[in-house]
Amino acid sequence: FGEDELLEEPKIIDCPDFTEREKLEKERDSLGLYISGHPFDQYEAEAKRYATCPIASLSQWTSKAKPIVAGVLSSVVEKFSKKTGDPYGVAVLEDNVATVEVMLFRDRWAALKPVLQKGEFYFFEGNIRQDRGVSFFVTDVYSESECKEKLTPHVTIEVDTEGKEERFFEGIFRILSSHKGQEEVLLKLKNEDETLVAKLRRNLVKFDDSLIKDITDYGAGAINIY
């Protein structure tokens, strides 16, 4: 090129940055795992208010009520029964701690097959089966937009039971009785060996700063409420 000839500068197209969700999906697609976070992180606060059992605690669920779990759908496929040939769905639901295999049969699968989308956030209600691991048999599914309308918010109270006597728990119930409201209470009793989870149907409370203060002051480090 001649010394006086001007070169045209390349035009750089101004492209919008990837969303946080798109970045995480590209991490998983290229590396097989999330690096900078997990898609569930942005839903965690909402999950705590409406899901009654974390995925990791399904094996410890003791309530007769059906548990409700929340997570991001990482896969969903259709399979066929060897005996009848009927189609059914097998999905994997995950949060930022654990995963669970989710089973959808007959009319549930027929209704949800065109709706369920990989990468979306859902609440699944159903029954647990423990046979070489935990499986979850779905009876109802709620999207993020449906949870506030169709699910009841709840308060979770985690208690470290080590060294605690019966009167300690009586004190907890007295506090709950003095904060009556419309939200259910999920009680988690934990020690070094196990965690028991139960829903308290008769102790509906109002979740506010006053309840948090009364419970945490009473627990003196042995109770976590959220």
Side-chain angles (χ1 to χ4, degrees):
F1 297 101
E3 292 183 1
D4 297 330
E5 186 173 354
L6 297 177
L7 296 178
E8 183 179 355
E9 293 185 0
K11 295 181 179 180
I12 300 176
I13 300 175
D14 187 15
C15 297
D17 195 6
F18 293 120
T19 65
E20 191 63 30
R21 181 169 173 175
E22 288 173 333
K23 291 178 182 178
L24 291 171
E25 288 302 321
K26 290 184 180 298
E27 286 179 1
R28 181 158 187 171
D29 290 343
S30 59
L31 301 173
L33 72 163
Y34 300 114
I35 299 297
S36 59
H38 193 284
F40 180 78
D41 293 342
Q42 62 182 304
Y43 306 111
E44 188 168 12
E46 193 166 33
K48 286 182 177 180
R49 298 290 284 140
Y50 293 97
T52 59
C53 185
I55 293 174
S57 299
L58 280 173
S59 62
Q60 301 161 342
W61 182 259
T62 60
S63 174
K64 293 182 180 180
K66 295 177 182 178
I68 299 172
V69 296
V72 175
L73 202 64
S74 59
S75 70
V76 56
V77 296
E78 182 174 65
K79 295 187 177 183
F80 296 88
S81 170
K82 294 180 179 179
K83 292 184 178 180
T84 65
D86 294 333
Y88 65 96
V90 179
V92 175
L93 191 72
E94 66 177 84
D95 57 24
N96 49 13
V97 175
T99 65
V100 65
E101 185 178 68
V102 174
M103 314 293 290
L104 304 104
F105 292 104
R106 300 186 180 89
D107 58 332
R108 286 286 78 199
W109 175 238
L112 294 169
K113 177 182 176 180
V115 177
L116 294 178
Q117 298 292 324
K118 178 183 175 181
E120 294 296 325
F121 175 71
Y122 295 99
F123 292 87
F124 282 12
E125 182 175 7
N127 299 299
I128 303 167
R129 185 176 75 179
Q130 297 195 52
D131 180 17
R132 289 179 294 181
V134 175
S135 294
F136 196 78
F137 291 75
V138 175
T139 56
D140 285 294
V141 176
Y142 310 95
S143 66
E144 181 187 6
S145 62
E146 294 175 319
C147 69
K148 294 181 180 179
E149 177 184 350
K150 297 183 178 181
L151 296 177
T152 303
H154 66 269
V155 178
T156 299
I157 298 178
E158 294 183 351
V159 183
D160 181 356
T161 62
E162 193 68 33
K164 300 298 184 296
E165 299 179 356
E166 184 177 347
R167 61 183 180 180
F168 178 81
F169 299 97
E170 292 173 351
I172 293 176
F173 287 109
R174 282 196 299 271
I175 294 173
L176 296 179
S177 298
S178 66
H179 291 271
K180 295 185 182 299
Q182 300 299 318
E183 299 187 48
E184 295 179 342
V185 176
L186 193 68
L187 184 64
K188 299 176 70 173
L189 306 178
K190 305 176 68 174
N191 59 34
E192 293 183 357
D193 300 320
E194 60 181 351
T195 300
L196 300 179
V197 183
K199 183 187 290 186
L200 307 181
R201 292 184 175 276
R202 297 182 181 180
N203 296 89
L204 300 182
V205 300
K206 180 180 180 181
F207 184 59
D208 56 17
D209 290 341
S210 177
L211 173 62
I212 294 173
K213 184 178 186 306
D214 287 352
I215 284 290
T216 53
D217 286 351
Y218 176 78
I223 301 179
N224 184 26
I225 178 172
Y226 53 85

